[in-house]
Amino acid sequence: MVKITIEDLSFSYGSNKILDGLDIVVGDSEILSLVGPNGSGKTTLIKCIDRILKPEGRILLDGGRDIRSMSSKEVARYIGYVPQSSSGFLSTTVFDTILMGRKPHMGWRVGDEDIDHVVKIMKLLHVEEFALRDFNELSGGQKQRVLIARALCQEPEVLLLDEPTSNLDVKHQLEVMDIVTSLVKSTGISAVMAIHDLNLAARYSDTLVMLKDGKVYARGDPKTLLTEENIRTIFGVEAVVINSLDRPYVVPVRPLNGDGHDI
């Protein structure tokens, strides 16, 4: 079953083309990670899928519905978005922040079903202990869990995550990625992540999409794609790839200059 089909998608900021003719399919219960250097279009693609940006081309959701023909509420019921930064959020309690995720399902008033759903999600992500604390007073790892909880309250089919481990220490990086993996495998939703850390992407992803200059350079499983040659081509870095625990791990050695030689 296919959750999202992206066909010939392009996007430009003025004359600066960021995405150029992308074709990507997101499958059922799949964790798909977008990897590539800064400026390759990872975050832009996430925002196009969530209709924050309006690209050329087509984005089709389950059943072949063009996202452009759907209302904002319909899209919000299908796609949950976890932004890269938590800055700009109003000073509200954790409970109220998560409750915002019920907006696509609520009428004029908050119902018992909405409250029950928030409590269930809070317990699932282990944030119930600080339900009444101000969201802006939480640590980075706690905020990330709350934002994932808010997105899950939308009851989405697809979870979009823009750099979900940015600004987190190693423990909280693993914690957040374990949560995402568990949710995908237990609920049947799919996840699309823009992520910098190649080793986290290798460990937790079913599929990698390598972006370079706004185009899909390669798509496949981490074992196939994370080669020393691909890392040299995509990132301009000489690296050693070690296979351990049935996954490739990337050890950067040195940057390369524009012609592929050592700096």
Side-chain angles (χ1 to χ4, degrees), residues 228-243:
E228 294 172 5
E229 181 180 352
N230 280 345
I231 293 166
R232 186 182 304 113
T233 301
I234 297 293
F235 296 94
V237 170
E238 182 181 337
V240 174
V241 178
I242 302 170
N243 288 296

Side-chain angles (χ1 to χ4, degrees), residues 1-13:
M1 181 177 175
V2 174
K3 289 289 181 70
I4 296 179
T5 302
I6 296 169
E7 297 180 345
D8 196 25
L9 187 140
S10 298
F11 181 83
S12 300
Y13 287 108

Side-chain angles (χ1 to χ4, degrees), residues 170-232:
V170 173
K171 177 182 178 181
H172 288 111
Q173 287 178 1
L174 295 176
E175 182 180 74
V176 166
M177 296 300 294
D178 283 340
I179 288 170
V180 172
T181 302
S182 176
L183 289 169
V184 168
K185 303 311 176 187
S186 64
T187 65
I189 67 173
S190 300
V192 180
M193 300 187 296
I195 189 166
H196 273 298
D197 192 313
L198 294 178
N199 291 325
L200 286 177
R203 176 171 176 174
Y204 289 99
S205 306
D206 299 306
T207 304
L208 297 185
V209 172
M210 285 184 159
L211 297 178
K212 179 177 173 60
D213 299 327
K215 298 182 179 181
V216 175
Y217 178 82
R219 173 198 165 105
D221 66 87
K223 286 183 182 179
T224 302
L225 259 60
L226 287 179
T227 64
E228 294 172 5
E229 181 180 352
N230 280 345
I231 293 166
R232 186 182 304 113

Side-chain angles (χ1 to χ4, degrees), residues 18-85:
I18 306 299
L19 301 175
D20 187 7
L22 303 188
D23 293 306
I24 298 172
V25 173
V26 181
D28 192 40
S29 299
E30 180 179 32
I31 299 178
L32 184 148
S33 291
L34 307 169
V35 299
N38 289 340
S40 60
K42 301 186 298 295
T43 292
T44 300
L45 178 55
I46 291 286
K47 291 181 176 179
C48 286
I49 297 172
D50 197 46
R51 282 209 324 194
I52 296 171
L53 300 174
K54 296 182 179 180
E56 299 177 0
R58 296 204 304 169
I59 300 174
L60 306 176
L61 303 187
D62 181 23
R65 292 192 65 188
D66 193 319
I67 198 171
R68 292 173 296 187
S69 69
M70 301 170 65
S71 68
S72 296
K73 180 175 283 191
E74 286 178 308
V75 174
R77 285 177 175 174
Y78 197 90
I79 295 175
Y81 171 57
V82 181
Q84 180 176 348
S85 173

